[in-house]
Amino acid sequence: MTSSPSMPMKTRDIHNHHMDSTAWDRFRFRDGDVVIASYAKSGTTWMQQIIAQLIFDGAEGIEVSKLSPWLDLRIMPPEALAALEEQTHRRFVKTHLPVDALVFSPKARYVYVARDGRDMVWSLYNHYAKANEIWYGALNNTPGRVGPPIDPPPPTALEFFTQWFERDGYPFWSYWENVRSWWAVRDLPNVKLMHFADMKRDLAGSVREVADHLGIKPDAATFETIVHHCTFDYMKSHAEQVAPLGGILWEGGATSFINKGTNGRWKDELSKAQSDAYEQRAVKELGADCARWLAGGRLN
């Protein structure tokens, strides 16, 4: 008989140009709160849309970016936390922290979204390369930054991948510790692991899994509407409601943030040696089971 993992405890803080994990020390949990977690560019915004649609019964016009802040984003204005206190509906927030850097509550439900690192990097590069002066100014010049500023990316996604891989997530944060920490708590009853590839293969089935995890039971007609509102085409056409701050931080706006939603772009650019090195590193960092899931999904 195996024992279930114990409830995680916060053991450290993370500060960088993006993050201030002390925000979790000030967040007062309520029963039913939902925390959406990921490394970055792994389907976080997509999952926010899914959960918003489940909470609000498939309604149109949901301002997801306003209702569901990135809680540990360092430049988040203080009034964002106050606004969460004022919400009367079921709350849902996002984080890009590893488990040991946030306050973990038995009152909350957690949904972690993962994506193969090679797919994630190509998406992250688009996000990074299209960041505008507002983005750089906010991250680098807002008081309280710990560590160096973030500089513009290299000229190509391939160069960015090489830098990110060789320097453990630079200039962002460690991918491996993020995935590893959430994999370790996957058996907790209030944690659900989802994978970007599974969401693409079977959106309706993925929405149903999340609904079951959250204890939400929409009727058949509402469920059909919810799934439609979570398609990439729908999100692209309503990008300003979905993208953070309506997309003002990126050249091209919200539709630039909601970019392609595709996998496999790295296959034409990474050499076999580079891809093999990534796969070997994944097994070393995560173990064979986690690495296998991370590469393609389908945990169960």
mmCIF file of all heavy atoms in Angstrom, residues 51-99:
data_model
loop_
_atom_site.group_PDB
_atom_site.id
_atom_site.type_symbol
_atom_site.label_atom_id
_atom_site.label_comp_id
_atom_site.label_asym_id
_atom_site.label_seq_id
_atom_site.Cartn_x
_atom_site.Cartn_y
_atom_site.Cartn_z
ATOM 1 N N ILE A 51 -11.482 27.262 -17.943
ATOM 2 C CA ILE A 51 -12.025 27.351 -16.583
ATOM 3 C C ILE A 51 -12.999 28.521 -16.460
ATOM 4 O O ILE A 51 -14.043 28.410 -15.794
ATOM 5 C CB ILE A 51 -10.874 27.422 -15.571
ATOM 6 C CG1 ILE A 51 -10.187 26.044 -15.524
ATOM 7 C CG2 ILE A 51 -11.358 27.849 -14.190
ATOM 8 C CD1 ILE A 51 -8.929 25.979 -14.707
ATOM 9 N N ALA A 52 -12.711 29.633 -17.134
ATOM 10 C CA ALA A 52 -13.661 30.744 -17.140
ATOM 11 C C ALA A 52 -14.993 30.312 -17.739
ATOM 12 O O ALA A 52 -16.072 30.639 -17.218
ATOM 13 C CB ALA A 52 -13.084 31.917 -17.929
ATOM 14 N N GLN A 53 -14.925 29.580 -18.842
ATOM 15 C CA GLN A 53 -16.152 29.127 -19.477
ATOM 16 C C GLN A 53 -16.930 28.166 -18.589
ATOM 17 O O GLN A 53 -18.160 28.206 -18.531
ATOM 18 C CB GLN A 53 -15.818 28.482 -20.821
ATOM 19 C CG GLN A 53 -15.471 29.482 -21.911
ATOM 20 C CD GLN A 53 -16.658 30.348 -22.276
ATOM 21 O OE1 GLN A 53 -17.714 29.848 -22.691
ATOM 22 N NE2 GLN A 53 -16.526 31.653 -22.101
ATOM 23 N N LEU A 54 -16.223 27.298 -17.878
ATOM 24 C CA LEU A 54 -16.904 26.384 -16.960
ATOM 25 C C LEU A 54 -17.548 27.135 -15.798
ATOM 26 O O LEU A 54 -18.682 26.838 -15.410
ATOM 27 C CB LEU A 54 -15.912 25.345 -16.441
ATOM 28 C CG LEU A 54 -15.481 24.273 -17.446
ATOM 29 C CD1 LEU A 54 -14.293 23.482 -16.911
ATOM 30 C CD2 LEU A 54 -16.633 23.327 -17.771
ATOM 31 N N ILE A 55 -16.843 28.097 -15.257
ATOM 32 C CA ILE A 55 -17.368 28.853 -14.113
ATOM 33 C C ILE A 55 -18.573 29.699 -14.514
ATOM 34 O O ILE A 55 -19.561 29.788 -13.775
ATOM 35 C CB ILE A 55 -16.264 29.732 -13.497
ATOM 36 C CG1 ILE A 55 -15.231 28.859 -12.777
ATOM 37 C CG2 ILE A 55 -16.847 30.777 -12.531
ATOM 38 C CD1 ILE A 55 -14.013 29.614 -12.289
ATOM 39 N N PHE A 56 -18.515 30.300 -15.707
ATOM 40 C CA PHE A 56 -19.560 31.233 -16.129
ATOM 41 C C PHE A 56 -20.528 30.625 -17.153
ATOM 42 O O PHE A 56 -21.190 31.349 -17.895
ATOM 43 C CB PHE A 56 -18.923 32.505 -16.690
ATOM 44 C CG PHE A 56 -18.194 33.307 -15.652
ATOM 45 C CD1 PHE A 56 -16.807 33.284 -15.599
ATOM 46 C CD2 PHE A 56 -18.875 34.049 -14.703
ATOM 47 C CE1 PHE A 56 -16.112 34.011 -14.642
ATOM 48 C CE2 PHE A 56 -18.201 34.781 -13.736
ATOM 49 C CZ PHE A 56 -16.812 34.765 -13.703
ATOM 50 N N ASP A 57 -20.601 29.294 -17.181
ATOM 51 C CA ASP A 57 -21.620 28.581 -17.970
ATOM 52 C C ASP A 57 -21.626 28.957 -19.443
ATOM 53 O O ASP A 57 -22.680 29.119 -20.068
ATOM 54 C CB ASP A 57 -23.021 28.825 -17.384
ATOM 55 C CG ASP A 57 -23.195 28.229 -15.997
ATOM 56 O OD1 ASP A 57 -22.656 27.126 -15.771
ATOM 57 O OD2 ASP A 57 -23.829 28.858 -15.140
ATOM 58 N N GLY A 58 -20.426 29.104 -20.019
ATOM 59 C CA GLY A 58 -20.345 29.339 -21.444
ATOM 60 C C GLY A 58 -20.731 30.736 -21.893
ATOM 61 O O GLY A 58 -21.047 30.942 -23.069
ATOM 62 N N ALA A 59 -20.664 31.698 -20.998
ATOM 63 C CA ALA A 59 -21.082 33.061 -21.337
ATOM 64 C C ALA A 59 -20.139 33.717 -22.336
ATOM 65 O O ALA A 59 -18.945 33.409 -22.379
ATOM 66 C CB ALA A 59 -21.162 33.911 -20.065
ATOM 67 N N GLU A 60 -20.664 34.638 -23.115
ATOM 68 C CA GLU A 60 -19.864 35.465 -24.007
ATOM 69 C C GLU A 60 -19.287 36.644 -23.216
ATOM 70 O O GLU A 60 -19.792 37.008 -22.154
ATOM 71 C CB GLU A 60 -20.731 36.013 -25.149
ATOM 72 C CG GLU A 60 -21.300 34.956 -26.072
ATOM 73 C CD GLU A 60 -20.367 34.619 -27.225
ATOM 74 O OE1 GLU A 60 -19.231 35.133 -27.253
ATOM 75 O OE2 GLU A 60 -20.790 33.842 -28.106
ATOM 76 N N GLY A 61 -18.221 37.248 -23.765
ATOM 77 C CA GLY A 61 -17.725 38.506 -23.228
ATOM 78 C C GLY A 61 -17.008 38.427 -21.895
ATOM 79 O O GLY A 61 -16.903 39.436 -21.191
ATOM 80 N N ILE A 62 -16.485 37.254 -21.534
ATOM 81 C CA ILE A 62 -15.781 37.120 -20.258
ATOM 82 C C ILE A 62 -14.383 37.727 -20.389
ATOM 83 O O ILE A 62 -13.590 37.304 -21.241
ATOM 84 C CB ILE A 62 -15.673 35.641 -19.835
ATOM 85 C CG1 ILE A 62 -17.063 35.010 -19.742
ATOM 86 C CG2 ILE A 62 -14.938 35.519 -18.499
ATOM 87 C CD1 ILE A 62 -17.978 35.665 -18.759
ATOM 88 N N GLU A 63 -14.074 38.697 -19.556
ATOM 89 C CA GLU A 63 -12.763 39.355 -19.569
ATOM 90 C C GLU A 63 -11.781 38.518 -18.739
ATOM 91 O O GLU A 63 -11.448 38.851 -17.595
ATOM 92 C CB GLU A 63 -12.875 40.773 -19.016
ATOM 93 C CG GLU A 63 -13.763 41.686 -19.837
ATOM 94 C CD GLU A 63 -13.062 42.208 -21.085
ATOM 95 O OE1 GLU A 63 -11.844 41.991 -21.232
ATOM 96 O OE2 GLU A 63 -13.735 42.842 -21.910
ATOM 97 N N VAL A 64 -11.314 37.445 -19.343
ATOM 98 C CA VAL A 64 -10.492 36.482 -18.619
ATOM 99 C C VAL A 64 -9.232 37.135 -18.063
ATOM 100 O O VAL A 64 -8.831 36.888 -16.920
ATOM 101 C CB VAL A 64 -10.131 35.290 -19.531
ATOM 102 C CG1 VAL A 64 -9.177 34.336 -18.819
ATOM 103 C CG2 VAL A 64 -11.384 34.559 -19.965
ATOM 104 N N SER A 65 -8.599 37.981 -18.857
ATOM 105 C CA SER A 65 -7.330 38.579 -18.422
ATOM 106 C C SER A 65 -7.502 39.468 -17.199
ATOM 107 O O SER A 65 -6.566 39.628 -16.406
ATOM 108 C CB SER A 65 -6.706 39.380 -19.561
ATOM 109 O OG SER A 65 -7.508 40.490 -19.908
ATOM 110 N N LYS A 66 -8.685 40.052 -17.021
ATOM 111 C CA LYS A 66 -8.945 40.894 -15.855
ATOM 112 C C LYS A 66 -9.356 40.068 -14.638
ATOM 113 O O LYS A 66 -9.003 40.390 -13.497
ATOM 114 C CB LYS A 66 -10.031 41.926 -16.169
ATOM 115 C CG LYS A 66 -9.618 42.961 -17.200
ATOM 116 C CD LYS A 66 -10.738 43.955 -17.474
ATOM 117 C CE LYS A 66 -10.313 44.992 -18.506
ATOM 118 N NZ LYS A 66 -11.408 45.945 -18.816
ATOM 119 N N LEU A 67 -10.125 39.019 -14.895
ATOM 120 C CA LEU A 67 -10.648 38.211 -13.790
ATOM 121 C C LEU A 67 -9.620 37.254 -13.214
ATOM 122 O O LEU A 67 -9.716 36.864 -12.051
ATOM 123 C CB LEU A 67 -11.867 37.414 -14.260
ATOM 124 C CG LEU A 67 -13.102 38.213 -14.671
ATOM 125 C CD1 LEU A 67 -14.179 37.282 -15.185
ATOM 126 C CD2 LEU A 67 -13.629 39.040 -13.504
ATOM 127 N N SER A 68 -8.639 36.858 -14.038
ATOM 128 C CA SER A 68 -7.706 35.800 -13.649
ATOM 129 C C SER A 68 -6.269 36.284 -13.785
ATOM 130 O O SER A 68 -5.586 35.970 -14.766
ATOM 131 C CB SER A 68 -7.945 34.566 -14.533
ATOM 132 O OG SER A 68 -7.049 33.523 -14.202
ATOM 133 N N PRO A 69 -5.770 37.037 -12.807
ATOM 134 C CA PRO A 69 -4.419 37.585 -12.918
ATOM 135 C C PRO A 69 -3.333 36.540 -12.673
ATOM 136 O O PRO A 69 -3.566 35.511 -12.037
ATOM 137 C CB PRO A 69 -4.389 38.649 -11.827
ATOM 138 C CG PRO A 69 -5.351 38.136 -10.794
ATOM 139 C CD PRO A 69 -6.449 37.471 -11.578
ATOM 140 N N TRP A 70 -2.160 36.833 -13.197
ATOM 141 C CA TRP A 70 -0.938 36.108 -12.858
ATOM 142 C C TRP A 70 -0.528 36.633 -11.484
ATOM 143 O O TRP A 70 0.043 37.697 -11.358
ATOM 144 C CB TRP A 70 0.120 36.375 -13.926
ATOM 145 C CG TRP A 70 1.461 35.767 -13.676
ATOM 146 C CD1 TRP A 70 1.878 35.028 -12.603
ATOM 147 C CD2 TRP A 70 2.611 35.865 -14.542
ATOM 148 N NE1 TRP A 70 3.191 34.659 -12.730
ATOM 149 C CE2 TRP A 70 3.672 35.157 -13.913
ATOM 150 C CE3 TRP A 70 2.837 36.479 -15.773
ATOM 151 C CZ2 TRP A 70 4.937 35.066 -14.486
ATOM 152 C CZ3 TRP A 70 4.097 36.382 -16.338
ATOM 153 C CH2 TRP A 70 5.137 35.675 -15.703
ATOM 154 N N LEU A 71 -0.813 35.860 -10.458
ATOM 155 C CA LEU A 71 -0.733 36.379 -9.098
ATOM 156 C C LEU A 71 0.683 36.784 -8.706
ATOM 157 O O LEU A 71 0.887 37.785 -8.006
ATOM 158 C CB LEU A 71 -1.276 35.339 -8.110
ATOM 159 C CG LEU A 71 -1.476 35.820 -6.673
ATOM 160 C CD1 LEU A 71 -2.528 36.911 -6.611
ATOM 161 C CD2 LEU A 71 -1.874 34.660 -5.773
ATOM 162 N N ASP A 72 1.692 36.001 -9.132
ATOM 163 C CA ASP A 72 3.068 36.278 -8.722
ATOM 164 C C ASP A 72 3.840 37.109 -9.733
ATOM 165 O O ASP A 72 5.055 37.217 -9.637
ATOM 166 C CB ASP A 72 3.817 34.972 -8.423
ATOM 167 C CG ASP A 72 3.417 33.832 -9.344
ATOM 168 O OD1 ASP A 72 4.022 33.699 -10.420
ATOM 169 O OD2 ASP A 72 2.487 33.090 -8.982
ATOM 170 N N LEU A 73 3.149 37.691 -10.713
ATOM 171 C CA LEU A 73 3.815 38.622 -11.623
ATOM 172 C C LEU A 73 4.254 39.846 -10.826
ATOM 173 O O LEU A 73 3.440 40.507 -10.181
ATOM 174 C CB LEU A 73 2.872 39.032 -12.753
ATOM 175 C CG LEU A 73 3.411 40.030 -13.766
ATOM 176 C CD1 LEU A 73 4.622 39.468 -14.505
ATOM 177 C CD2 LEU A 73 2.323 40.430 -14.753
ATOM 178 N N ARG A 74 5.527 40.156 -10.885
ATOM 179 C CA ARG A 74 6.103 41.196 -10.032
ATOM 180 C C ARG A 74 5.487 42.571 -10.263
ATOM 181 O O ARG A 74 5.367 43.368 -9.326
ATOM 182 C CB ARG A 74 7.616 41.260 -10.268
ATOM 183 C CG ARG A 74 8.362 42.207 -9.367
ATOM 184 C CD ARG A 74 9.843 42.215 -9.696
ATOM 185 N NE ARG A 74 10.123 42.776 -10.998
ATOM 186 C CZ ARG A 74 10.184 44.096 -11.258
ATOM 187 N NH1 ARG A 74 9.959 44.966 -10.282
ATOM 188 N NH2 ARG A 74 10.445 44.528 -12.471
ATOM 189 N N ILE A 75 5.104 42.856 -11.489
ATOM 190 C CA ILE A 75 4.595 44.183 -11.814
ATOM 191 C C ILE A 75 3.078 44.284 -11.665
ATOM 192 O O ILE A 75 2.470 45.275 -12.072
ATOM 193 C CB ILE A 75 5.009 44.594 -13.238
ATOM 194 C CG1 ILE A 75 4.464 43.599 -14.277
ATOM 195 C CG2 ILE A 75 6.532 44.692 -13.340
ATOM 196 C CD1 ILE A 75 4.693 44.030 -15.719
ATOM 197 N N MET A 76 2.463 43.253 -11.095
ATOM 198 C CA MET A 76 1.030 43.286 -10.870
ATOM 199 C C MET A 76 0.696 44.434 -9.919
ATOM 200 O O MET A 76 1.266 44.518 -8.826
ATOM 201 C CB MET A 76 0.559 41.958 -10.270
ATOM 202 C CG MET A 76 -0.948 41.821 -10.162
ATOM 203 S SD MET A 76 -1.764 41.732 -11.765
ATOM 204 C CE MET A 76 -1.079 40.210 -12.416
ATOM 205 N N PRO A 77 -0.199 45.337 -10.277
ATOM 206 C CA PRO A 77 -0.531 46.448 -9.375
ATOM 207 C C PRO A 77 -1.202 45.947 -8.109
ATOM 208 O O PRO A 77 -1.916 44.933 -8.132
ATOM 209 C CB PRO A 77 -1.473 47.314 -10.207
ATOM 210 C CG PRO A 77 -2.021 46.407 -11.258
ATOM 211 C CD PRO A 77 -0.942 45.408 -11.547
ATOM 212 N N PRO A 78 -0.993 46.628 -6.982
ATOM 213 C CA PRO A 78 -1.577 46.184 -5.710
ATOM 214 C C PRO A 78 -3.089 46.031 -5.764
ATOM 215 O O PRO A 78 -3.661 45.175 -5.075
ATOM 216 C CB PRO A 78 -1.168 47.289 -4.726
ATOM 217 C CG PRO A 78 0.039 47.926 -5.347
ATOM 218 C CD PRO A 78 -0.153 47.824 -6.827
ATOM 219 N N GLU A 79 -3.732 46.854 -6.579
ATOM 220 C CA GLU A 79 -5.197 46.778 -6.636
ATOM 221 C C GLU A 79 -5.691 45.468 -7.239
ATOM 222 O O GLU A 79 -6.861 45.113 -7.085
ATOM 223 C CB GLU A 79 -5.777 47.961 -7.403
ATOM 224 C CG GLU A 79 -5.221 48.168 -8.788
ATOM 225 C CD GLU A 79 -4.063 49.167 -8.832
ATOM 226 O OE1 GLU A 79 -3.341 49.295 -7.819
ATOM 227 O OE2 GLU A 79 -3.887 49.790 -9.890
ATOM 228 N N ALA A 80 -4.804 44.723 -7.936
ATOM 229 C CA ALA A 80 -5.221 43.439 -8.508
ATOM 230 C C ALA A 80 -5.582 42.452 -7.405
ATOM 231 O O ALA A 80 -6.551 41.700 -7.521
ATOM 232 C CB ALA A 80 -4.120 42.871 -9.391
ATOM 233 N N LEU A 81 -4.799 42.447 -6.323
ATOM 234 C CA LEU A 81 -5.101 41.561 -5.197
ATOM 235 C C LEU A 81 -6.385 42.004 -4.511
ATOM 236 O O LEU A 81 -7.214 41.171 -4.120
ATOM 237 C CB LEU A 81 -3.933 41.552 -4.205
ATOM 238 C CG LEU A 81 -3.932 40.435 -3.170
ATOM 239 C CD1 LEU A 81 -3.907 39.066 -3.838
ATOM 240 C CD2 LEU A 81 -2.739 40.574 -2.228
ATOM 241 N N ALA A 82 -6.568 43.307 -4.393
ATOM 242 C CA ALA A 82 -7.800 43.829 -3.804
ATOM 243 C C ALA A 82 -9.013 43.445 -4.647
ATOM 244 O O ALA A 82 -10.078 43.105 -4.112
ATOM 245 C CB ALA A 82 -7.711 45.341 -3.659
ATOM 246 N N ALA A 83 -8.841 43.485 -5.967
ATOM 247 C CA ALA A 83 -9.943 43.109 -6.853
ATOM 248 C C ALA A 83 -10.317 41.640 -6.683
ATOM 249 O O ALA A 83 -11.501 41.276 -6.742
ATOM 250 C CB ALA A 83 -9.558 43.400 -8.306
ATOM 251 N N LEU A 84 -9.315 40.787 -6.445
ATOM 252 C CA LEU A 84 -9.609 39.379 -6.187
ATOM 253 C C LEU A 84 -10.413 39.205 -4.903
ATOM 254 O O LEU A 84 -11.297 38.359 -4.821
ATOM 255 C CB LEU A 84 -8.302 38.577 -6.099
ATOM 256 C CG LEU A 84 -7.631 38.213 -7.413
ATOM 257 C CD1 LEU A 84 -6.245 37.642 -7.165
ATOM 258 C CD2 LEU A 84 -8.473 37.216 -8.204
ATOM 259 N N GLU A 85 -10.103 40.002 -3.904
ATOM 260 C CA GLU A 85 -10.849 39.945 -2.644
ATOM 261 C C GLU A 85 -12.314 40.324 -2.858
ATOM 262 O O GLU A 85 -13.203 39.844 -2.151
ATOM 263 C CB GLU A 85 -10.217 40.877 -1.615
ATOM 264 C CG GLU A 85 -8.888 40.404 -1.060
ATOM 265 C CD GLU A 85 -9.032 39.233 -0.107
ATOM 266 O OE1 GLU A 85 -10.152 39.031 0.427
ATOM 267 O OE2 GLU A 85 -8.060 38.503 0.089
ATOM 268 N N GLU A 86 -12.566 41.178 -3.834
ATOM 269 C CA GLU A 86 -13.923 41.653 -4.072
ATOM 270 C C GLU A 86 -14.735 40.716 -4.959
ATOM 271 O O GLU A 86 -15.965 40.857 -5.048
ATOM 272 C CB GLU A 86 -13.867 43.044 -4.713
ATOM 273 C CG GLU A 86 -13.300 44.116 -3.778
ATOM 274 C CD GLU A 86 -13.053 45.438 -4.480
ATOM 275 O OE1 GLU A 86 -13.360 45.521 -5.699
ATOM 276 O OE2 GLU A 86 -12.560 46.369 -3.823
ATOM 277 N N GLN A 87 -14.077 39.774 -5.637
ATOM 278 C CA GLN A 87 -14.808 38.862 -6.510
ATOM 279 C C GLN A 87 -15.727 37.964 -5.687
ATOM 280 O O GLN A 87 -15.330 37.438 -4.644
ATOM 281 C CB GLN A 87 -13.840 38.009 -7.329
ATOM 282 C CG GLN A 87 -13.092 38.781 -8.400
ATOM 283 C CD GLN A 87 -12.151 37.906 -9.218
ATOM 284 O OE1 GLN A 87 -12.076 36.686 -9.019
ATOM 285 N NE2 GLN A 87 -11.420 38.524 -10.138
ATOM 286 N N THR A 88 -16.931 37.795 -6.156
ATOM 287 C CA THR A 88 -17.897 36.943 -5.450
ATOM 288 C C THR A 88 -18.119 35.609 -6.156
ATOM 289 O O THR A 88 -18.694 34.691 -5.580
ATOM 290 C CB THR A 88 -19.244 37.668 -5.305
ATOM 291 O OG1 THR A 88 -19.719 38.047 -6.616
ATOM 292 C CG2 THR A 88 -19.098 38.929 -4.451
ATOM 293 N N HIS A 89 -17.681 35.505 -7.413
ATOM 294 C CA HIS A 89 -17.763 34.239 -8.131
ATOM 295 C C HIS A 89 -16.584 33.350 -7.725
ATOM 296 O O HIS A 89 -15.699 33.768 -6.968
ATOM 297 C CB HIS A 89 -17.743 34.474 -9.645
ATOM 298 C CG HIS A 89 -16.544 35.235 -10.111
ATOM 299 N ND1 HIS A 89 -15.292 34.672 -10.257
ATOM 300 C CD2 HIS A 89 -16.394 36.538 -10.464
ATOM 301 C CE1 HIS A 89 -14.440 35.562 -10.679
ATOM 302 N NE2 HIS A 89 -15.065 36.713 -10.814
ATOM 303 N N ARG A 90 -16.567 32.149 -8.207
ATOM 304 C CA ARG A 90 -15.444 31.250 -7.957
ATOM 305 C C ARG A 90 -14.189 31.828 -8.613
ATOM 306 O O ARG A 90 -14.178 32.115 -9.809
ATOM 307 C CB ARG A 90 -15.753 29.860 -8.514
ATOM 308 C CG ARG A 90 -14.742 28.793 -8.096
ATOM 309 C CD ARG A 90 -15.231 27.419 -8.499
ATOM 310 N NE ARG A 90 -14.325 26.390 -8.027
ATOM 311 C CZ ARG A 90 -14.510 25.067 -8.222
ATOM 312 N NH1 ARG A 90 -15.593 24.650 -8.870
ATOM 313 N NH2 ARG A 90 -13.634 24.193 -7.759
ATOM 314 N N ARG A 91 -13.142 31.993 -7.843
ATOM 315 C CA ARG A 91 -11.953 32.678 -8.343
ATOM 316 C C ARG A 91 -10.990 31.702 -9.022
ATOM 317 O O ARG A 91 -10.892 30.538 -8.637
ATOM 318 C CB ARG A 91 -11.242 33.391 -7.191
ATOM 319 C CG ARG A 91 -12.119 34.408 -6.479
ATOM 320 C CD ARG A 91 -11.375 35.144 -5.404
ATOM 321 N NE ARG A 91 -10.824 34.250 -4.402
ATOM 322 C CZ ARG A 91 -10.061 34.639 -3.376
ATOM 323 N NH1 ARG A 91 -9.764 35.920 -3.217
ATOM 324 N NH2 ARG A 91 -9.600 33.761 -2.522
ATOM 325 N N PHE A 92 -10.261 32.228 -10.020
ATOM 326 C CA PHE A 92 -9.247 31.426 -10.704
ATOM 327 C C PHE A 92 -8.074 32.329 -11.059
ATOM 328 O O PHE A 92 -8.239 33.369 -11.676
ATOM 329 C CB PHE A 92 -9.834 30.724 -11.939
ATOM 330 C CG PHE A 92 -10.456 31.619 -12.979
ATOM 331 C CD1 PHE A 92 -9.930 31.692 -14.264
ATOM 332 C CD2 PHE A 92 -11.594 32.376 -12.702
ATOM 333 C CE1 PHE A 92 -10.499 32.496 -15.232
ATOM 334 C CE2 PHE A 92 -12.179 33.193 -13.678
ATOM 335 C CZ PHE A 92 -11.628 33.255 -14.940
ATOM 336 N N VAL A 93 -6.900 31.937 -10.601
ATOM 337 C CA VAL A 93 -5.683 32.723 -10.810
ATOM 338 C C VAL A 93 -4.627 31.828 -11.443
ATOM 339 O O VAL A 93 -4.766 30.606 -11.487
ATOM 340 C CB VAL A 93 -5.143 33.298 -9.482
ATOM 341 C CG1 VAL A 93 -6.166 34.232 -8.850
ATOM 342 C CG2 VAL A 93 -4.761 32.190 -8.507
ATOM 343 N N LYS A 94 -3.571 32.472 -11.960
ATOM 344 C CA LYS A 94 -2.518 31.673 -12.585
ATOM 345 C C LYS A 94 -1.172 31.929 -11.926
ATOM 346 O O LYS A 94 -0.959 32.955 -11.285
ATOM 347 C CB LYS A 94 -2.443 31.942 -14.077
ATOM 348 C CG LYS A 94 -1.662 33.174 -14.495
ATOM 349 C CD LYS A 94 -1.487 33.197 -16.016
ATOM 350 C CE LYS A 94 -0.577 34.333 -16.454
ATOM 351 N NZ LYS A 94 -0.378 34.389 -17.909
ATOM 352 N N THR A 95 -0.272 30.970 -12.106
ATOM 353 C CA THR A 95 1.095 31.068 -11.591
ATOM 354 C C THR A 95 2.037 30.355 -12.540
ATOM 355 O O THR A 95 1.641 29.411 -13.239
ATOM 356 C CB THR A 95 1.203 30.456 -10.186
ATOM 357 O OG1 THR A 95 2.556 30.604 -9.716
ATOM 358 C CG2 THR A 95 0.866 28.972 -10.189
ATOM 359 N N HIS A 96 3.284 30.802 -12.546
ATOM 360 C CA HIS A 96 4.341 30.085 -13.265
ATOM 361 C C HIS A 96 5.411 29.594 -12.297
ATOM 362 O O HIS A 96 6.542 29.306 -12.712
ATOM 363 C CB HIS A 96 4.963 30.984 -14.334
ATOM 364 C CG HIS A 96 4.046 31.274 -15.490
ATOM 365 N ND1 HIS A 96 3.328 30.298 -16.125
ATOM 366 C CD2 HIS A 96 3.722 32.447 -16.116
ATOM 367 C CE1 HIS A 96 2.607 30.839 -17.098
ATOM 368 N NE2 HIS A 96 2.834 32.139 -17.112
ATOM 369 N N LEU A 97 5.068 29.467 -11.042
ATOM 370 C CA LEU A 97 6.027 29.043 -10.026
ATOM 371 C C LEU A 97 6.077 27.527 -9.890
ATOM 372 O O LEU A 97 5.073 26.837 -10.103
ATOM 373 C CB LEU A 97 5.661 29.632 -8.665
ATOM 374 C CG LEU A 97 5.821 31.137 -8.494
ATOM 375 C CD1 LEU A 97 5.181 31.572 -7.181
ATOM 376 C CD2 LEU A 97 7.290 31.544 -8.530
ATOM 377 N N PRO A 98 7.228 27.007 -9.456
ATOM 378 C CA PRO A 98 7.269 25.615 -8.998
ATOM 379 C C PRO A 98 6.520 25.507 -7.678
ATOM 380 O O PRO A 98 6.289 26.511 -6.979
ATOM 381 C CB PRO A 98 8.760 25.340 -8.828
ATOM 382 C CG PRO A 98 9.371 26.685 -8.589
ATOM 383 C CD PRO A 98 8.548 27.660 -9.374
ATOM 384 N N VAL A 99 6.144 24.305 -7.313
ATOM 385 C CA VAL A 99 5.279 24.091 -6.161
ATOM 386 C C VAL A 99 5.870 24.647 -4.864
ATOM 387 O O VAL A 99 5.152 25.225 -4.043
ATOM 388 C CB VAL A 99 4.985 22.580 -5.995
ATOM 389 C CG1 VAL A 99 4.224 22.309 -4.713
ATOM 390 C CG2 VAL A 99 4.190 22.074 -7.186
#
